[in-house]
């Protein structure tokens, strides 16, 4: 399935009315509410991905995100961005991306060959929001 098809499928499955604005407080615990959907509910991915956690995304922000990443206790632990390599090479800039939380204690960037929802090769940029976040998401 191509990225645009995946985005349309997710949007069609999730939007039944106007999206509500999110506050930072509402996003601190899972589930974050509209317009975010749990990725595992709309794509063939596990509910919890070791290293990334339980993921929620606003389908309108794909492919870049932000994707909100929660630990097993439902605490927002990271914000993830997925930037397609070809788009970056062609000059696409992803400016003004929002954060799940204002505190960032660490950043990981790594290559991903593609997965459901973002099939093209891309970089994962993971912003961890507290000192223990990376460890909690690894379990």
């Amino acid at each position: 399935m191509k990225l645009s098809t995946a985005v349309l499928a997710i949007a069609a499955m999730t939007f039944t009315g106007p999206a509500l604005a999110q506050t930072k407080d509402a996003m601190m615990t899972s589930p974050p509410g509209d317009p975010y959907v749990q990725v595992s509910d709309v794509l063939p991915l596990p509910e919890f991905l070791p290293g990334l956690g339980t993921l929620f995304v606003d389908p309108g922000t794909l492919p870049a995100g932000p994707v909100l990443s929660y630990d097993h206790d439902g605490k927002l632990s990271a914000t993830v961005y997925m930037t397609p390599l070809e788009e970056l090479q062609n000059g696409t800039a992803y400016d003004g991306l929002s954060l799940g939380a204002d505190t960032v204690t660490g950043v990981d960037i790594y290559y991903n060959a593609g997965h459901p929802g973002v099939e093209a090769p891309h970089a994962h940029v993971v912003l961890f929001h507290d000192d223990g976040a990376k460890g909690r998401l690894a379990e």
Side-chain angles (χ1 to χ4, degrees):
M1 179 178 347
K2 292 187 178 187
L3 175 61
S4 60
T5 305
V7 172
L8 290 174
I10 292 170
M13 296 165 79
T14 59
F15 291 120
T16 57
L20 302 174
Q22 289 295 298
T23 65
K24 294 287 184 193
D25 290 340
M27 293 190 304
M28 296 309 291
T29 56
S30 174
D34 287 338
Y36 289 89
V37 297
Q38 189 166 337
V39 171
S40 63
D41 287 346
V42 295
L43 293 173
L45 293 169
E47 183 175 324
F48 188 92
L49 292 163
L52 290 176
T54 301
L55 303 175
F56 286 81
V57 67
D58 171 352
T61 66
L62 288 174
V67 178
L68 304 179
S69 171
Y70 295 88
D71 65 18
H72 286 291
D73 293 327
K75 178 180 180 182
L76 179 65
S77 299
T79 301
V80 180
Y81 306 98
M82 298 175 289
T83 56
L85 299 179
E86 184 176 4
E87 291 183 20
L88 291 171
Q89 290 170 329
N90 290 334
T92 299
Y94 294 98
D95 297 327
L97 298 173
S98 62
L99 290 168
D102 294 332
T103 302
V104 176
T105 59
V107 179
D108 284 357
I109 302 173
Y110 55 89
Y111 173 80
N112 188 288
H115 52 72
V118 184
E119 284 81 6
H122 57 279
H124 278 191
V125 180
V126 183
L127 308 179
F128 297 101
H129 296 306
D130 63 73
D131 289 332
K134 188 172 184 175
R136 290 191 316 274
L137 295 176
E139 303 172 1

